Amino acid sequence: AQSVSQHNHHVILSEAASLELGCNYSYGGTVNLFWYVQYPGQHLQLLLKYFSGDPLVKGIKGFEAEFIKSKFSFNLRKPSVQWSDTAEYFCAVNVPNRGYQKVTFGTGTKLQVIP
Amino acid sequence: NAGVTQTPKFQVLKTGQSMTLQCAQDMNHNSMYWYRQDPGMGLRLIYYSASEGTTDKGEVPNGYNVSRLNKREFSLRLESAAPSQTSVYFCASEARLYEQYFGPGTRLTVT
């Protein structure tokens, strides 16, 4: 089965710093990739997704992610974080037509932005 | 348009008690999911339902049962709660292209 690794468990940044959160997956074929965000006390919401085409995907709130197939990576970036970006971020992968557990989530990265 | 709703929001159970977590979606999605979220472990799939009338086990189904009552509702039942089932439970429904919409979660504590 596919798996997802998020190596940064907890990241602390000052406001206006740049952000890059790592995500690696373990399947060699076609995949769909997602980043979800969970603000404190809230449910998960989709931030952005990649299915095909341009490997640089832009999402909501100024976030973007780059799919690098050769590195099995889908890292999340934001040029300048705000205090309101404090949240937990989950990378997820789906292998089309693989049946059960269609979407596998990473363990999450908690981002804390200091004003 | 409420999206995905879950009840209750919080619950405390004693070991051995049973309860049902309710989930409903109003987006006419076919697929629905139950996950549990534990610190450092991300989301783990308990059960899913690809369509009305079908359910399948996910990664961690032991100790749980589910019912897909109709297209809107997908409930999760704990027959005999154990402390290891203390967690936050999320229901989700799936739109096209595997995009999932999550409910607000149920925080369950088993003592």
Side-chain angles (χ1 to χ4, degrees):
Chain A
Q2 67 269 23
S3 65
V4 181
S5 297
Q6 293 182 245
H7 302 294
N8 310 105
H9 298 297
H10 195 182
V11 173
I12 301 173
L13 294 173
S14 298
E15 272 191 317
S18 63
L19 169 72
E20 180 159 5
L21 301 182
C23 172
N24 289 91
Y25 62 93
S26 67
Y27 183 74
T30 301
V31 291
N32 301 315
L33 296 157
F34 308 82
W35 276 98
Y36 283 85
V37 59
Q38 185 178 29
Y39 296 104
Q42 296 189 26
H43 59 282
L44 277 79
Q45 305 168 47
L46 184 69
L47 204 52
L48 50 79
K49 60 190 176 188
Y50 171 81
F51 291 109
S52 63
D54 189 343
L56 186 61
V57 179
K58 294 195 184 299
I60 60 171
K61 303 187 181 185
F63 285 91
E64 65 179 30
E66 185 174 13
F67 170 53
I68 303 180
K69 189 173 183 179
S70 61
K71 295 185 177 179
F72 300 92
S73 70
F74 189 56
N75 292 354
L76 181 70
R77 300 197 293 248
K78 186 171 184 178
S80 175
V81 295
Q82 301 172 316
W83 176 78
S84 58
D85 294 323
T86 293
E88 191 160 14
Y89 294 81
F90 293 90
C91 183
V93 65
N94 155 258
V95 178
N97 305 316
R98 279 292 292 269
Y100 125 80
Q101 199 165 357
K102 293 195 295 185
V103 178
T104 301
F105 287 83
T107 54
T109 298
K110 285 190 178 175
L111 172 65
Q112 184 180 355
V113 180
I114 301 169
Chain B
N1 191 336
V4 180
T5 58
Q6 289 182 239
T7 55
K9 285 189 168 47
F10 301 94
Q11 183 72 49
V12 179
L13 291 178
K14 289 184 168 33
T15 297
Q17 287 185 317
S18 63
M19 79 161 295
T20 299
L21 281 65
Q22 306 287 353
C23 173
Q25 53 95 5
D26 61 3
M27 296 174 282
N28 203 37
H29 293 160
N30 286 320
S31 296
M32 296 184 72
Y33 300 80
W34 276 105
Y35 294 93
R36 58 177 291 173
Q37 183 181 28
D38 302 291
M41 305 192 75
L43 275 78
R44 293 182 292 169
L45 182 66
I46 305 171
Y47 269 93
Y48 76 104
S49 170
S51 62
E52 183 180 351
T54 68
T55 61
D56 285 285
K57 296 179 181 179
E59 183 185 355
V60 289
N62 291 344
Y64 305 95
N65 283 302
V66 290
S67 295
R68 183 72 183 269
L69 305 169
N70 46 55
K71 192 170 187 178
R72 288 187 65 247
E73 298 171 291
F74 188 37
S75 61
L76 178 72
R77 183 160 178 83
L78 286 70
E79 292 290 351
S80 179
S84 61
Q85 294 177 305
T86 292
S87 187
V88 181
Y89 291 86
F90 287 100
C91 176
S93 70
E94 189 174 89
R96 58 185 292 273
L97 298 180
Y98 310 107
E99 180 177 337
Q100 297 197 0
Y101 290 80
F102 286 82
T106 295
R107 189 172 292 274
L108 175 67
T109 301
V110 183
T111 60

